[in-house]
C-alpha cells in the first residue's frame, strides 16, 4: 500500500497510544531500548536503562516489573518472547543470554561468556527465536560483528558475518526479526552502521540486501530494528532519520513517517520496534522515554512534514552510538 498525499514517501500521523514518560516508577521509563510483544496476549515487555524489565497489558497498563541480576556495566538492548511465553534477553554488557519465566521470577537458563569464540560475546545485541525454538543472537565489537545461532537450551550451532561493509558482513548488527515468506523462514538483521537490512536463510546464507544510506524512500540512516507486519511487509525504525519506514518483501519502500520531536507521533531516536497481535506497531521512543503505538495506514493530515537536517540526524546518531556500547 503506497502512502497517499505525498510524492516523496512522507506521511504524517499521530500515535494511537503513548505509554510511559520519564521516570523510574512502574509504568515510566528512563531511556527504553528494547521491546517484545506477546503475539498471543498482546502484553509487552520493555527494558530501559534502569536495568528493569516492565510488563504491560496490551492497552498500555503497567502490570509488573523486575530488575536484571546485573546492570551496573550496562543494560540489554535485545529481548524476545519464545512460543512457551518465556522471555529471552541478550544481556549485552554481561556477555550472556538469559531466559526468564514469563513473570521474571525465575532465571530458567543462561549461557555465554566474554570473548570472541563460539558461544561468546563482546557486546550482545538483539535476540530472536525461530519456529523450532532455535535462538539467534547478534554481537558486535572488537572486529567480531556477527550472528550466532543456538539450540533452545544454548548449545552453539553456527555463526556468520564478520565486521565490514560487504554483503553478508556487519557493522553493528542491531535489531533482528524472523520472517516467514512463501513457506520458508528467514532472519532479518538491521545492519545499523551500514545503513541497510540484510536477509539470511536460517543457516546463514545471504538472500538479499535492502537499503542504502540516505533519507529518501528506500534509504536509511542507522536502522536500529526491523519487524514483519501482518501482511508480510517490513517495518524498519531508523534512529538517524527519526522515522519508521515500510518496505515490501522485495525491498521497495512503501512510505515512511516520523520526525524529530516530542509530540505524539514524533520520535527521538526510535530504538526498537515490534508488532502486536492486532497488527499495531510498538515503537520504543528512546530519547522521549516512552513507547508509542501506531496503526497502519496512518491518517494523512495537512501533507508531509519535514524531517530534521542531515547534520542534526548525524549528530544525534553519533551521540547515541557514543553513549551505548
Amino acid at each position: 500500500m503506497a502512502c497517499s498525499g505525498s510524492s516523496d514517501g512522507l506521511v504524517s500521523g499521530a500515535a494511537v497510544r503513548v505509554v510511559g514518560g520519564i521516570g523510574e516508577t512502574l509504568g515510566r521509563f528512563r531511556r527504553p531500548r528494547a521491546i517484545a510483544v506477546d503475539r498471543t496476549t498482546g502484553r509487552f515487555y520493555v527494558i530501559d536503562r534502569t536495568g528493569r524489565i516492565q510488563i504491560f497489558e496490551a492497552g498500555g497498563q503497567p502490570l509488573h516489573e523486575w530488575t536484571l541480576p546485573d546492570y551496573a556495566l550496562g543494560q540489554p538492548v535485545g529481548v524476545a518472547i519464545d512460543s512457551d511465553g518465556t522471555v529471552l534477553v541478550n544481556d549485552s554488557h554481561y556477555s550472556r543470554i538469559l531466559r526468564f519465566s514469563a513473570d521474571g521470577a525465575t532465571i530458567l537458563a543462561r549461557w555465554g561468556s566474554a570473548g570472541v569464540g563460539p558461544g561468546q560475546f563482546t557486546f550482545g545485541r538483539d535476540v530472536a527465536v525461530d519456529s523450532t525454538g532455535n535462538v539467534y543472537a547478534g554481537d558486535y565489537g572488537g572486529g567480531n560483528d556477527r550472528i550466532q545461532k543456538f539450540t533452545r537450551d544454548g548449545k552453539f550451532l553456527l555463526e556468520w558475518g564478520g565486521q565490514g561493509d560487504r554483503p553478508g558482513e556487519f557493522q553493528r548488527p542491531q535489531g533482528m526479526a524472523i520472517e516467514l515468506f512463501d513457506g520458508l523462514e528467514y532472519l532479518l538483521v538491521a545492519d545499523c552502521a551500514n545503513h541497510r537490512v540484510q536477509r539470511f536463510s536460517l543457516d546463514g546464507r545471504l538472500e538479499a540486501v535492502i537499503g542504502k544510506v540516505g533519507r529518501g524512500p528506500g534509504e536509511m540512516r542507522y536502522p536500529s530494528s526491523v519487524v514483519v507486519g501482518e501482511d508480510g511487509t517490513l517495518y524498519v525504525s531508523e534512529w538517524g532519520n527519526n522515522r519508521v519506514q515500510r518496505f515490501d518483501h522485495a525491498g521497495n519502500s512503501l512510505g515512511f513517517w516520523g520526525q524529530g520531536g516530542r509530540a505524539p507521533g514524533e520520535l527521538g531516536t526510535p530504538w526498537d520496534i515490534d508488532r502486536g497481535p492486532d497488527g499495531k506497531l510498538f515503537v520504543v521512543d528512546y530519547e522521549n522515554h516512552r513507547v508509542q503505538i501506531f496503526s497502519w495506514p496512518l491518517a494523512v493530515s495537512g501533507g508531509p512534514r519535514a524531517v530534521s537536517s542531515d547534520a542534526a540526524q548525524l549528530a544525534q546518531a553519533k551521540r547515541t552510538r557514543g553513549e551505548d556500547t
Side-chain angles (χ1 to χ4, degrees), residues 8 32 49 158 184 190 203 206 214 217 241 297 322:
D8 60 3
R49 297 203 66 144
L158 63 95
L184 296 175
D203 59 2
L206 179 67
N241 280 330

Side-chain angles (χ1 to χ4, degrees), residues 14-16 257 279-281 293-299:
V16 173
W257 77 92
K280 290 187 175 64
L281 299 174
I293 305 173
F294 296 87
S295 285
W296 186 276
L298 299 173

Side-chain angles (χ1 to χ4, degrees), residues 197 207 219:
V197 170
E207 299 287 343
E219 299 173 339

Side-chain angles (χ1 to χ4, degrees), residues 214-216 219 236-238 241-245 256-258 267 270:
R215 53 184 292 200
E219 299 173 339
V236 179
S237 59
E238 305 172 49
N241 280 330
N242 282 320
R243 70 185 185 188
V244 175
Q245 186 165 187
F256 49 82
W257 77 92
L267 298 166

Side-chain angles (χ1 to χ4, degrees), residues 9 18 28 51-53 70 79 84 87 96 117 132 153-155 171 181 216 259 271 274 294 315:
V18 176
R28 304 186 75 81
R52 296 177 301 159
I53 302 177
D70 304 283
V79 60
D84 61 358
V87 180
R96 63 193 178 191
T132 65
D153 58 0
K155 178 183 177 182
Q171 292 195 68
F181 182 79
Q259 66 171 10
W271 198 295
D274 204 359
F294 296 87

Side-chain angles (χ1 to χ4, degrees), residues 106-119:
T106 306
I107 297 177
L108 302 173
R110 67 175 81 198
W111 68 87
S113 61
V116 297

Side-chain angles (χ1 to χ4, degrees), residues 40-124:
T40 301
T41 66
R43 289 183 175 180
F44 57 100
Y45 295 71
V46 182
I47 303 178
D48 72 357
R49 297 203 66 144
T50 66
R52 296 177 301 159
I53 302 177
Q54 298 188 64
I55 311 175
F56 295 80
E57 288 282 17
Q61 301 84 3
L63 288 175
H64 173 60
E65 65 178 28
W66 76 89
T67 302
L68 290 156
D70 304 283
Y71 57 91
L73 297 180
Q75 303 79 41
V77 296
V79 60
I81 301 172
D82 206 342
S83 58
D84 61 358
T86 58
V87 180
L88 285 159
V89 175
N90 193 331
D91 200 4
S92 313
H93 293 70
Y94 291 88
S95 306
R96 63 193 178 191
I97 304 296
L98 300 173
R99 184 187 294 275
F100 290 92
S101 58
D103 61 0
T106 306
I107 297 177
L108 302 173
R110 67 175 81 198
W111 68 87
S113 61
V116 297
Q120 297 183 314
F121 298 95
T122 304
F123 288 109

